[in-house]
Amino acid sequence: MSNVAVIGAQWGDEGKGKIIDWLANRAEMVVRFQGGNNAGHTIVVGDKTYKLSLLPSGVIQGKRSIIGNGVVVDPWALLEEIARVGAAGLRVTPDTLVLAENAVLVLPIHRELDEVRESSNSVQRLGTTKRGIGPAYEDKVGRRALRVVDLKDPASLPAKIDRLLAHHNALRRGSGAEEIDAGALLEALKEIAPKILPYIGSSWRELDAARRAGKRILFEGAQAVLLDIDHGTYPYVTSSNTVAGQAAAGSGIGPRQIGYVLGITKSYTTRVGEGPFPTEQLNDIGEKLGARGNEFGTVTGRKRRCGWFDSVLVRQTTITGGIDGIALTKLDILDAFETIEVCVGYQLDDKVLDYLPADANEQARLTPVYETMDGWNSSTRGARSWAQLPANAIKYVRRIEELIGAPVALLSTSPDRDDTITVRDPFVG
Ligand code: IMP
C-alpha cells in the first residue's frame, strides 16, 4: 500500500508544508481533505518561498491536485491564490487542479459572521483565523449550505440562496444586523461561477482512477489533531476533523486505502489562538523559542504561544490521529538551550495523569510534570544524517520516540527541502 496521509500532531504550524512538499515530490496525486483557507503552508524551494492556503501543495510540482469534498472552499480566495502563485511563476490550470463538486462554499456572510463573533468583546471569541470556516461548516451540517456544484446551475441558485438566508437573516434580525440581500449574493455567485467551473470535478472518481492505476496518493492534512472538532481542546478547535480518518471521508476513498499516517510534530510546542496549553512558557524561554523559531502565523501574522515539548499530548494524538510514525521538525531551534524540559505527565490534585482530560476545568488546573534533559549547545541546523547530530540531540529524539510510542520517520533540520534525515520513506515502507 503506497498512499500516505500527513497530519499535524500538535496545534498546527508544525512545519507540515516542508514535509508535505518533500513527500509531494514522491507522490503522483496530492489531496486536501478538510479545512479551508485557514491553513497556511509555507514551502521553501531553493530561493523561493511559497505560501499556500487552499491549494494542495502538489501544485508546486505540477502534480494533479485535488481539493476534496471535506474542504470548505472560498471561491474568491481560491482565485486570488491561483493568481498570486501564478505571479510567482506557478501555473495552476484545470489540468493540475480539481475542485470537488460536493465541497461546500465559504461565502462573504460566513467571513462576516466569523469576524463579528471574534470581535474583542464577544463571548464567543476563540481566536479563529476569521476566514469563515466555522460558519461554513455549520451550514454544511445544517444542510442549507451552497456547494461548488450549485454554481453549475444558476437557475437553481435563487431557491438555494433563499433557504440559506432564511436561517441567516432570522439570526441577523434578532441581533439587529442588516439583512443579507439575496439578489446581491446571487449576482456575486453568477459572476464568479464561470471562473470556477473549469476546475470542477469529482474527487472520489479521480481518486478511484488513481488508485486503480496504482498511483501514489498523498493526503495533505491541515491544522492538527489538537484542533480536531472531536479530539481537540474543544471549544478552542477548528470546525473539521483533522485526524487521519478524515482523509478517507473528506475525499471519497476507503480508509484501508491509506497505508501510512505520518504525524508532524515540532521539537517543542506552539499554539495560536485561545485555549489550554499546559507547557506554555510565559517567560524568557517562551520568548527565546519564539524568536529562534520565528513563530508568527502564516495566515494571520499573529505571534504564536510557545512552550516545551509535551509528550503526553503527542502520545494522545498519535493514538487518536492514527499516526504510524512522526516527522520531527525544528530540532535546530533547541540548539541554544543548556537544558531542555519535556512534559511526561500532568499533576491534577493528588493524581498524575498520562492523558489530557476532556474537561476544560480540569485542563486549566493541570501542572506539567517535567523531565529535564541536557541540551547539546551546538548546531544541528542543516544536518542530513544521524552522524551529523550531537549525542544529546540523538538522546532527545530517542526519548521522544519512547514517550509518544511512535518512531521518528523523518527529522527536519532546516526549512530547506533537502535538510531532512530519512529513517523511513513513508511511501516505500
Ligand atoms: P478557525 O479554523 O479559523 O475556525 O480557527 C479555530 C482555531 O484553529 C484557532 O485557534 C486558529 O488559530 C486555529 N487554526 C486554524 N487553522 C490553523 C492553522 O493552519 N495552523 C494553526 N492553527 C490554526
Side-chain angles (χ1 to χ4, degrees):
M1 179 72 60
S2 54
N3 301 324
V4 174
V6 175
I7 59 172
Q10 295 166 315
W11 277 293
D13 312 311
E14 298 92 350
K16 284 192 289 295
K18 168 184 159 170
I19 303 291
I20 286 169
D21 173 58
W22 190 86
L23 287 165
N25 230 350
R26 290 157 173 72
E28 289 153 286
M29 180 176 269
V30 182
V31 186
R32 277 281 306 270
F33 54 86
Q34 46 71 230
N37 62 326
N38 49 349
H41 290 169
T42 305
I43 297 167
V44 182
V45 184
D47 57 358
K48 287 210 155 152
T49 300
Y50 300 102
K51 288 186 191 289
L52 301 180
S53 253
L54 199 45
L55 290 171
S57 300
V59 297
I60 290 182
Q61 289 131 7
K63 301 281 168 76
R64 201 155 173 84
S65 299
I66 315 286
I67 296 180
N69 53 276
V71 177
V72 284
V73 182
D74 180 331
W76 293 275
L78 178 63
L79 292 179
E80 206 178 282
E81 193 174 332
I82 291 174
R84 183 168 49 77
V85 299
L90 283 187
R91 250 172 68 77
V92 177
T93 69
D95 285 334
T96 46
L97 179 70
V98 177
L99 175 58
E101 55 194 359
N102 50 346
V104 157
L105 293 175
V106 179
L107 302 172
I109 37 175
H110 298 130
R111 264 182 271 139
E112 194 194 313
L113 192 55
D114 208 353
E115 281 270 358
V116 169
R117 289 176 180 167
E118 287 295 310
S119 64
S120 55
N121 56 356
S122 162
V123 286
Q124 297 179 66
R125 203 179 126 74
L126 299 171
T128 75
T129 59
K130 302 183 185 169
R131 296 294 189 272
I133 305 300
Y137 276 116
E138 286 170 34
D139 281 343
K140 177 179 180 172
V141 296
R143 294 164 291 188
R144 55 182 171 261
L146 299 184
R147 301 191 303 169
V148 170
V149 69
D150 297 332
L151 298 175
K152 268 184 169 171
D153 181 14
S156 73
L157 274 172
K160 288 172 181 158
I161 290 174
D162 282 348
R163 194 178 57 193
L164 177 70
L165 293 188
H167 172 82
H168 282 273
N169 280 338
L171 283 181
R172 295 174 76 96
R173 277 192 296 276
S175 64
E178 205 181 314
E179 290 190 28
I180 302 288
D181 175 22
L185 179 55
L186 177 64
E187 284 316 307
L189 290 168
K190 277 185 172 167
E191 200 264 324
I192 201 151
K195 301 174 193 157
I196 293 292
L197 286 177
Y199 298 99
I200 297 184
S202 162
S203 172
W204 70 268
R205 292 177 64 209
E206 285 278 338
L207 265 72
D208 188 49
R211 179 183 71 80
R212 286 172 194 278
K215 293 199 171 148
R216 282 195 297 272
I217 308 170
L218 175 66
F219 296 89
E220 172 178 359
Q223 292 87 47
V225 179
L226 292 170
L227 292 171
D228 183 283
I229 186 78
D230 288 291
H231 299 286
T233 45
Y234 193 88
Y236 300 101
V237 292
T238 194
S239 297
S240 61
N241 282 112
T242 55
V243 292
Q246 176 63 17
S251 66
I253 202 166
R256 281 181 301 170
Q257 303 305 321
I258 298 158
Y260 190 88
V261 179
L262 183 70
I264 319 288
T265 172
K266 269 181 201 170
S267 307
Y268 50 102
T269 313
T270 66
R271 154 161 226 179
V272 276
E274 312 295 318
F277 181 173
T279 63
E280 183 171 19
Q281 299 294 303
L282 293 166
N283 52 30
D284 289 353
I285 294 168
E287 289 296 318
K288 185 169 166 181
L289 287 167
R292 288 184 58 82
N294 191 24
E295 298 295 353
F296 296 91
T298 314
V299 175
T300 58
R302 287 178 292 177
K303 194 172 171 184
R304 296 179 185 142
R305 300 156 65 191
C306 298
W308 293 119
F309 186 79
D310 188 335
S311 74
V312 180
L313 289 182
V314 180
R315 176 176 167 275
Q316 186 162 331
T317 59
T318 296
I319 296 167
T320 57
I323 292 168
D324 294 305
I326 64 164
L328 190 65
T329 63
K330 297 185 104 167
L331 185 66
D332 57 300
I333 306 309
L334 298 179
D335 285 352
F337 288 87
E338 283 300 319
T339 55
I340 297 168
E341 311 278 342
V342 180
C343 173
V344 295
Y346 302 128
Q347 186 81 44
L348 178 67
D349 305 327
D350 57 351
K351 290 193 290 274
V352 175
L353 305 183
D354 65 354
Y355 62 92
L356 185 76
D359 180 347
N361 287 325
E362 288 189 349
Q363 288 174 0
R365 288 193 291 116
L366 299 174
T367 310
V369 178
Y370 288 112
E371 192 174 286
T372 304
M373 300 193 66
D374 288 331
W376 43 92
N377 268 310
S378 57
S379 177
T380 60
R381 197 172 169 88
R384 294 184 183 184
S385 72
W386 289 102
Q388 289 173 291
L389 293 181
N392 281 350
I394 296 176
K395 254 193 215 162
Y396 183 70
V397 176
R398 294 294 178 227
R399 185 66 183 133
I400 284 179
E401 287 180 314
E402 212 167 70
L403 288 166
I404 67 173
V408 167
L410 302 172
L411 193 66
S412 164
T413 55
S414 98
D416 197 288
R417 186 193 278 176
D418 296 322
D419 291 339
T420 304
I421 301 174
T422 316
V423 181
R424 170 195 165 129
D425 180 340
F427 274 120
V428 176

